Amino acid sequence: MEPKQLTPAQAFENTLTKEAMYNKLSSVMPPHANMNTFISSTIKYCISNPKVMEADRASLYNAIFEAAKAGMLIDGRESFLPIYRGTVEFQTMFRGNAKRAGFDKYGAVLIHEGDEYKCVMGMDGVTFEYTMARKGRGELEMAIGWSIDKDGFKRVLQLPAERVLQIAKKAKDKATAAAKRYGKTPSSP
């Protein structure tokens, strides 16, 4: 009887969960990172994106090691693995950058003409009381962002509409450049 052939996903999962690979990855991860969560999110991400496993295998493992060193989950929220000319790369996303910056909690809201809002900073965090205008919601007025770092330090940032639009344009330009590089169409910010 012929041995059962493993699918590429099964072979990948077996490689990542082998003791030698597990030990190598855990040796480069920061102490706060959970190795089991990292492995399971990486496997789920790669299985749901099979083209990643079809790309150059050495570059895939290099990208996984980069994510492990950074302590970032490969889940499409903290980081992801784009393919460029058959090579897998490691790329952080907003949540990953916030994690790297040491933010424990964070958020933002866009305020338009006619919206009602109040920002309250209490002992247990930042609270937004926000009501979107039911009728006649006007132009963008500002964005309010907040964060609480791991030490409990709270920050609130208010950006005028012009600055928000500059940031959105820059993000769209970067997305367009990345799309050309990776051969995909960007979505609007």
Side-chain angles (χ1 to χ4, degrees), residues 45-167:
Y45 177 87
C46 291
I47 288 173
S48 66
N49 296 284
K51 289 189 178 189
V52 170
M53 291 188 293
E54 294 170 8
D56 176 61
R57 202 43 78 105
S59 69
L60 171 60
Y61 290 118
N62 286 337
I64 291 170
F65 271 90
E66 282 184 58
K69 285 179 191 173
M72 304 266 176
L73 296 178
I74 301 171
D75 59 0
R77 292 183 299 259
E78 286 188 14
S79 69
F80 70 108
L81 304 176
I83 302 166
Y84 177 61
R85 295 186 181 164
T87 303
V88 180
E89 297 181 2
F90 165 68
Q91 190 75 51
T92 60
M93 298 184 75
F94 178 79
R95 186 178 287 182
N97 290 331
K99 182 178 181 179
R100 183 180 280 167
F103 296 142
D104 196 31
K105 296 178 182 175
Y106 52 88
V109 64
L110 296 174
I111 306 294
H112 291 260
E113 291 173 358
D115 294 348
E116 294 179 27
Y117 70 95
K118 182 167 73 170
C119 176
V120 179
M121 202 165 219
M123 295 302 287
D124 57 345
V126 180
T127 306
F128 283 107
E129 294 178 12
Y130 170 72
T131 306
M132 189 182 299
R134 298 204 187 274
K135 291 183 180 176
R137 191 165 193 226
E139 294 291 315
L140 177 68
E141 282 187 359
M142 72 181 95
I144 297 176
W146 61 270
S147 66
I148 303 173
D149 68 18
K150 292 176 181 152
D151 297 327
F153 187 77
K154 300 167 189 160
R155 296 172 183 84
V156 174
L157 175 67
Q158 181 177 329
L159 293 176
E162 299 79 34
R163 183 68 181 125
V164 174
L165 296 173
Q166 286 173 348
I167 293 168

Side-chain angles (χ1 to χ4, degrees), residues 1-5:
M1 185 175 200
E2 193 174 306
K4 187 177 179 183
Q5 188 77 2

